Amino acid sequence: MSDKNILTVGYARVSGKKQVKEGDGLGSQEARIRDYTRNRGYPALSVMFTDDRSGGTRDRPGFGAMLKFLIKNRSSICIVIIDDITRLARDITVHHTLRAAIAATGARLECPSFEFGDSSDDILVENLLASVSQHQRQKNGEQVRNRMRGRLLNGYWCFSSKPPAFEFAKIAGQNTLVPREPIASIVTEALEGFDSGRFQTQAEVQRFLQESPGYPKRPDGTVKFDRVTELLTCVLYAGMIEYLPWGISIRQGRHQGLITYDTYQRIQRRLNENPKAPARANLSQHFPLRQAVQCAHCSRLLGGAYSRGRNAEYPYYFCLNKKCLRYRKSFSSDEMHGQFEVLLKKLTPADEIIDIATAIFREAWEKRSDDATERTALLRREVTTTDKSMGLLVDRIANSSNPQLVQVYEARLIDLQREKAALIEKIENSEKAMPNFDATLRTALAFLASPWKLWETGKVEDRRAVRKLVFTEHLQYSPELGFRTAETTLPFKVLADMAAQDVEVVRAAGIEPAQPRPRDFKSLN
């Protein structure tokens, strides 16, 4: 038989892409295959096929391409050469499946470290080697899993897949999740916005992420809705670790969270509530007061739509009540928004009132700091009670022979573990020194002093937040008279009362009875 009728085909495999990037496993296997080809006197290697898949799977693109090559060259004598029997497979069932696939093409399999044969002894040895290879793979998998589980128990996230707002960094010799900017700041704003109600639905969070430069998106510039759900339900963002498939209950992680666990729990409760219909994206941008303003004639919430002009479309508000005198009579959104801004500016208190409010808030802040020890003691008692409840559940699980009852007990145990984790976080936070008053409340006080400035940003979420933070009820509007006097939220009501009563805080041991002093306040009227 002449050499030109013989085709030597090499096949090499490593377990994953990481070994391709960081090692030379494929190159080393190919070198030994070529050396074997020369030593046997075969023609030079015709073609080399490779895979970066686990030895326990039969789904291999490289192996599939090799089978197509072998079928195409049935007229030649094809010899498939592997470096070692473990490179074919590390699962006895997969091993025999791939062996049979090669044999079905008419090719034969060879290996430098083992001679394949058809005798009963050859088959026995091959089966033993394939079984040992499978055992090694399973044992390695168990060892890797045990090491990874140990890291999870110690609070380290050990999987290569991680949330987009985190990246791995070496801290004290350990791979640890750290915030990845600017994505971390964007995710924090999204999570806190959903918790506070700034974003009413997941669709609004999705739009916020899509409009945020720096947040990873698909090639078409969108963020998948599933990614939003994953973001809102990811406990890693709360600085916690949990992996129930491996029996890892909720625990404090070694990484820095973006939000508190308490915030995370409130988000989960919101997600489990009845879903709200998402606002239409094209309407939200130009109609931030939709669902917030009523017709002054009939108290029906105003609708919004576009009116087509000669060169463009123009946004208008109008009443939807057919029985109303103003039914379908539109008025410009720009005019209405302008009057709303004037209304906000009328709420601006005098500087002296803000100074008094700041003094009151500061005193309350300091009192809260003084009460921290008592709060910590109460939280510790709650932890003790929770521990006792968990102990009782463990006893019931151990003594119960009813699988359904055990499942109920285990679910309740997981809930208690989460409650305990939340309590521990509150204890740790209460034991920390209170943050600086001025740095913490600067934004809130700035908003109280000038609520219209947040409206002027022009962002839809900011404008919607303004009306929720300032007013407790729907506003009423008519084009002739503008906005009617509306009920404001507690902070603005307190500021208005302080101005109306003409009071001043006199600080001694506490807040003394008010002493009169002329004050100036721009009222709504």
Side-chain angles (χ1 to χ4, degrees):
M1 186 180 299
S2 60
D3 285 352
K4 66 180 180 178
N5 293 325
I6 299 177
L7 294 177
T8 53
V9 179
Y11 178 73
R13 181 191 63 80
V14 290
S15 298
K17 296 184 183 299
K18 184 177 180 181
Q19 290 176 295
V20 176
K21 294 178 181 179
E22 299 180 1
D24 189 38
L26 293 177
S28 299
Q29 292 176 52
E30 181 177 350
R32 289 190 290 270
I33 289 170
R34 291 186 183 278
D35 185 61
Y36 174 82
T37 302
R38 287 191 297 269
N39 291 339
R40 294 297 297 264
Y42 292 148
L45 199 64
S46 302
V47 63
M48 187 78 192
F49 295 94
T50 62
D51 274 310
D52 55 4
R53 302 293 174 89
S54 165
T57 179
R58 67 188 71 182
D59 179 21
R60 306 179 189 178
F63 191 87
M66 182 180 73
L67 290 180
K68 291 179 181 179
F69 177 87
L70 296 176
I71 292 171
K72 184 178 179 180
N73 293 277
R74 280 182 181 273
S75 59
S76 301
I77 298 173
C78 294
I79 303 173
V80 177
I81 305 171
I82 57 176
D83 174 50
D84 186 79
I85 193 172
T86 61
R87 297 303 87 202
L88 182 63
R90 281 188 175 273
D91 180 279
I92 190 166
T93 303
V94 175
H95 173 89
H96 286 300
T97 299
L98 301 186
R99 276 273 279 129
I102 293 172
T105 66
R108 72 171 187 258
L109 184 64
E110 293 189 11
C111 172
S113 59
F114 176 75
E115 186 172 348
F116 293 95
D118 297 325
S119 70
S120 58
D121 289 343
D122 291 335
I123 294 172
L124 173 64
V125 173
E126 182 180 346
N127 285 337
L128 287 172
L129 290 175
S131 296
V132 169
S133 180
Q134 174 177 289
H135 173 74
Q136 290 174 341
R137 176 179 63 85
Q138 293 172 337
K139 195 67 178 176
N140 289 340
E142 289 174 3
Q143 291 173 347
V144 170
R145 172 174 167 166
N146 288 337
R147 286 196 296 269
M148 292 174 70
R149 190 173 185 277
R151 284 183 56 77
L152 287 170
L153 287 169
N154 284 329
Y156 292 100
W157 186 250
C158 56
F159 299 103
S160 57
S161 59
K162 58 189 182 301
F166 286 124
E167 59 187 353
F168 283 112
K170 284 282 187 182
I171 299 178
Q174 298 287 345
N175 259 350
T176 308
L177 292 176
V178 296
R180 177 187 175 193
E181 295 295 351
I183 302 174
S185 296
I186 296 170
V187 168
T188 302
E189 187 174 353
L191 291 169
E192 292 180 344
F194 188 78
D195 171 49
S196 66
R198 172 186 169 191
F199 305 122
Q200 288 290 310
T201 65
Q202 295 188 59
E204 292 180 24
V205 176
Q206 182 184 36
R207 283 199 291 271
F208 168 75
L209 296 176
Q210 289 174 169
E211 293 168 1
S212 299
Y215 190 82
K217 304 173 184 67
R218 294 192 294 180
D220 61 358
T222 61
V223 175
K224 289 183 66 176
F225 192 81
D226 290 348
R227 296 296 183 190
V228 177
T229 304
E230 290 173 6
L231 181 149
L232 294 172
T233 56
C234 180
V235 75
L236 291 173
Y237 287 138
M240 309 297 281
I241 292 282
E242 184 180 48
Y243 194 67
L244 296 180
W246 287 2
I248 307 299
S249 59
I250 192 78
R251 64 196 61 238
Q252 185 68 46
R254 298 297 184 96
H255 62 283
Q256 174 189 342
L258 305 184
I259 57 173
T260 66
Y261 186 58
D262 194 39
T263 300
Y264 170 81
Q265 288 186 308
R266 288 197 301 270
I267 290 173
Q268 305 319 299
R269 287 194 289 271
R270 278 205 62 195
L271 290 173
N272 292 328
E273 294 173 354
N274 293 329
K276 298 180 181 179
R280 289 167 54 188
N282 63 330
L283 288 178
S284 293
Q285 182 177 0
H286 293 105
F287 301 96
L289 296 180
R290 278 184 80 246
Q291 306 301 314
V293 179
Q294 297 173 334
C295 172
H297 295 274
C298 67
S299 300
R300 175 78 177 265
L301 287 172
L302 297 178
Y306 297 95
S307 176
R308 184 177 295 278
R310 179 175 297 178
N311 300 317
E313 289 185 330
Y314 300 94
Y316 285 88
Y317 288 96
F318 56 88
C319 181
L320 297 169
N321 186 1
K322 293 182 179 179
K323 298 180 180 180
C324 180
L325 295 174
R326 294 207 58 84
Y327 173 63
R328 285 290 178 182
K329 292 181 180 178
S330 59
F331 36 91
S332 168
S333 65
D334 289 341
E335 179 183 344
M336 182 169 156
H337 294 164
Q339 292 191 37
F340 183 75
E341 186 173 330
V342 171
L343 178 65
L344 291 176
K345 288 182 178 179
K346 287 181 179 180
L347 285 169
T348 303
D351 292 340
E352 294 89 340
I353 296 296
I354 287 294
D355 292 341
I356 294 171
T358 301
I360 293 174
F361 293 150
R362 187 185 301 275
E363 187 161 342
W365 188 271
E366 292 171 355
K367 186 177 185 305
R368 182 175 177 82
S369 179
D370 294 338
D371 293 342
T373 302
E374 184 179 347
R375 289 199 307 275
T376 301
L378 289 173
L379 290 170
R380 290 190 184 280
R381 286 198 289 272
E382 287 188 50
V383 169
T384 302
T385 302
T386 304
D387 281 334
K388 289 179 181 178
S389 300
M390 290 168 60
L392 290 173
L393 280 174
V394 170
D395 291 339
R396 290 179 182 178
I397 292 171
N399 296 326
S400 178
S401 58
N402 186 330
Q404 293 179 337
L405 199 56
V406 168
Q407 190 174 5
V408 172
Y409 289 154
E410 288 177 340
R412 177 57 183 152
L413 185 61
I414 290 173
D415 289 340
L416 287 174
Q417 288 170 336
R418 291 172 177 169
E419 290 175 15
K420 180 181 176 181
L423 289 170
I424 291 173
E425 182 188 61
K426 290 178 181 178
I427 290 171
E428 291 174 350
N429 290 335
S430 67
E431 290 176 339
K432 295 176 182 177
M434 289 280 285
N436 179 267
F437 171 84
D438 295 308
T440 305
L441 291 187
R442 184 185 298 115
T443 302
L445 292 170
F447 174 74
L448 290 174
S450 307
W452 53 273
K453 287 186 178 180
L454 187 60
W455 174 267
E456 280 193 336
T457 65
K459 295 181 180 179
V460 177
E461 58 270 19
D462 288 348
R463 291 190 162 188
R464 292 182 64 183
V466 167
R467 61 177 172 82
K468 292 176 184 177
L469 291 169
V470 175
F471 300 103
T472 61
E473 59 184 18
H474 292 123
L475 296 152
Q476 291 199 340
Y477 177 82
S478 70
E480 301 83 9
L481 302 174
F483 286 97
R484 292 182 178 177
T485 302
E487 187 77 10
T488 56
T489 53
L490 183 60
F492 288 96
K493 189 180 296 184
V494 169
L495 292 175
D497 289 344
M498 289 170 61
Q501 294 173 16
D502 211 17
V503 298
E504 178 181 2
V505 173
V506 178
R507 303 185 57 187
I511 299 179
E512 297 287 338
Q515 297 181 5
R517 178 178 171 182
R519 289 288 172 251
D520 209 10
F521 190 86
K522 302 172 186 176
S523 66
L524 285 173
N525 300 319

